DNA sequence: CGGCGCATGTAACTTGTTACATGATTCC
DNA sequence: GGAATCATGTAACAAGTTACATGCGCCG
């Protein structure tokens, strides 16, 4: 539980950061398998600080409106490692497009076709971005001990998005023949 | 929004059902891309009834403790169709295993290996079940106008689970060489 | 006669989103 | 000077989970 806490702890294990930077990284690098909102993030940072798992180091840098940089404390690292060792228990996904596909005999083939085409385009963009990220990562693979494992995550994204595109193609062909 | 409402409306569009039956179907047929809890389901049924989108028909059948069967009303069908025509906007997924993979340089390769093996086994089971469902569905494909589209949903599950297994295999090989 | 499956429901809680407020700096 | 980006935060709301309560029928 409290998965947001572990994302924060994990990112801070790489380097000290502000809440804003954490959000940016999640939106950029985790976007194909994770999301967080500021409404979750900032309160989580406060709570982790209060509990001594992280600490605020560089507050109120010149210019910036009270910019707060957080750092991981030993206790935070310990809890992060404990969590990493626990079996994965939550695998939540909700794919609205499959729900719509399932009930789509109630609308025209063209309507459903539009949905699937939008789905394909989204995941084509995702795939392109992931392939770029992979190339970049491979060129600096020895720079950080974490990189080979991050590459496994990127490869997951690539593999799954390719599967999405395969399905989209088949489905568009099927719906096209119906229409 | 209120996605739960549309799942309920959709299932009732196929035939009248009790809340319990709706839950069973979601757990069985939708489990690889959707989930609902009773705590969401029963209040949703009440709210849809109050708003006149569905109606309670066969209450309190002999024996059973106040069994309530619900039916879709024309207004409910209309709202369902409106929703089906709207573009898909929510694609929520949160894959804890990728989060753990990303930060797994903080634990041993063996630990992460265990997680990935559990993941593979789960999705092997899912894949087997989906292939069975596909065979069954193909044998009765003409029985209901909905079946060809349900088959597209099952095929999504198969395609994606195959991708999961491909990734699991590669990742287990990588982590094995590390350990 | 005990356990399982059918069956419904609620309350407390946790989790997550959205809208809003604020305000400085940087780039054009 | 205005837009975009950096930056933090909260309140109200929406969504979702868990634990619990209740109780019948059926099967062994």
């Amino acid at each position: 539980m409290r998965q947001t806490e572990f994302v924060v702890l994990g990112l801070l294990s790489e380097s000290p950061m502000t809440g804003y930077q954490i959000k940016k990284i999640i939106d950029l690098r985790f976007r194909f398998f994770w999301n967080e909102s500021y409404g979750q993030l900032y309160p989580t940072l406060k709570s982790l600080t209060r509990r001594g798992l992280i600490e605020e180091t560089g507050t109120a840098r010149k210019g910036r409106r009270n910019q707060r940089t957080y750092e991981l404390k030993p206790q935070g690292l310990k809890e992060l490692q404990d969590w990493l060792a626990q079996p994965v228990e939550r695998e939540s996904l909700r794919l609205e497009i499959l729900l719509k596909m399932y009930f789509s005999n109630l609308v025209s083939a063209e309507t459903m076709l539009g949905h699937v085409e939008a789905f394909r385009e989204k995941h084509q963009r995702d795939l392109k971005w992931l392939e770029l990220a992979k190339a970049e990562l491979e060129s600096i693979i020895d720079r950080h001990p974490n990189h080979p494992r991050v590459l496994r995550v990127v490869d997951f994204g690539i593999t799954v998005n390719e599967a999405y595109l395969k399905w989209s193609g088949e489905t568009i062909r099927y719906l096209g023949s119906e229409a």
Side-chain angles (χ1 to χ4, degrees), chain A:
Chain A
M1 268 149 245
R2 291 272 61 214
Q3 296 184 102
T4 302
E5 290 180 358
F6 296 108
V7 189
V8 169
L9 256 21
L11 287 175
L12 291 180
S13 85
E14 297 186 339
S15 80
M17 264 182 253
T18 68
Y20 190 81
Q21 289 175 305
I22 290 172
K23 171 77 168 133
K24 281 289 100 86
I25 291 182
I26 292 169
D27 286 351
L28 208 75
R29 303 217 289 252
F30 291 5
R31 99 176 172 296
F32 76 93
F33 71 93
W34 207 266
N35 67 296
E36 292 292 347
S37 62
Y38 286 124
Q40 285 273 97
L41 224 45
Y42 284 114
T44 297
L45 284 166
K46 282 215 165 161
S47 150
L48 291 172
T49 304
R50 193 173 32 76
R51 285 150 55 201
L53 305 186
I54 62 176
E55 69 182 327
E56 207 187 309
T57 50
T59 317
R61 254 211 315 217
K62 54 142 205 241
R64 303 257 175 264
R65 174 224 189 184
N66 232 21
Q67 187 196 45
R68 297 167 192 280
T69 303
Y70 294 91
E71 246 174 63
L72 191 66
K73 290 179 75 173
Q75 186 57 28
L77 176 62
K78 201 190 154 296
E79 296 218 3
L80 174 60
Q81 286 174 319
D82 286 351
W83 174 75
L84 286 169
Q86 296 296 314
V88 174
E89 21 51 285
R90 283 215 267 174
E91 191 101 314
S92 84
L93 72 164
R94 277 188 151 196
L95 302 177
E96 199 186 290
I97 192 164
L98 294 187
L99 220 49
K100 289 194 171 171
M101 189 77 223
Y102 195 98
F103 300 122
S104 65
N105 63 315
L106 300 174
V107 289
S108 69
E110 286 83 0
T111 300
M112 196 61 225
L113 194 58
H115 296 338
V116 181
E117 275 164 353
F119 178 83
R120 176 168 66 173
E121 275 153 35
K122 180 189 184 299
H123 291 289
Q124 254 160 0
R125 286 194 299 277
D126 282 1
L127 184 59
K128 259 179 205 147
W129 183 86
L130 283 161
E131 277 165 348
L132 229 76
K134 180 175 180 166
E136 215 175 302
L137 200 58
E138 277 175 333
S139 73
I140 55 160
I141 199 79
D142 301 322
R143 207 72 66 79
H144 191 283
N146 199 15
H147 282 164
R149 306 228 176 157
V150 172
L151 188 57
R152 295 306 319 136
V153 174
V154 172
D155 270 332
F156 183 99
I158 290 175
T159 307
V160 170
N161 275 285
E162 282 170 351
Y164 288 169
L165 294 184
K166 185 184 166 213
W167 177 83
S168 305
E170 287 166 10
T171 303
I172 287 169
R173 259 194 305 285
Y174 164 72
L175 291 171
S177 74
E178 282 271 293

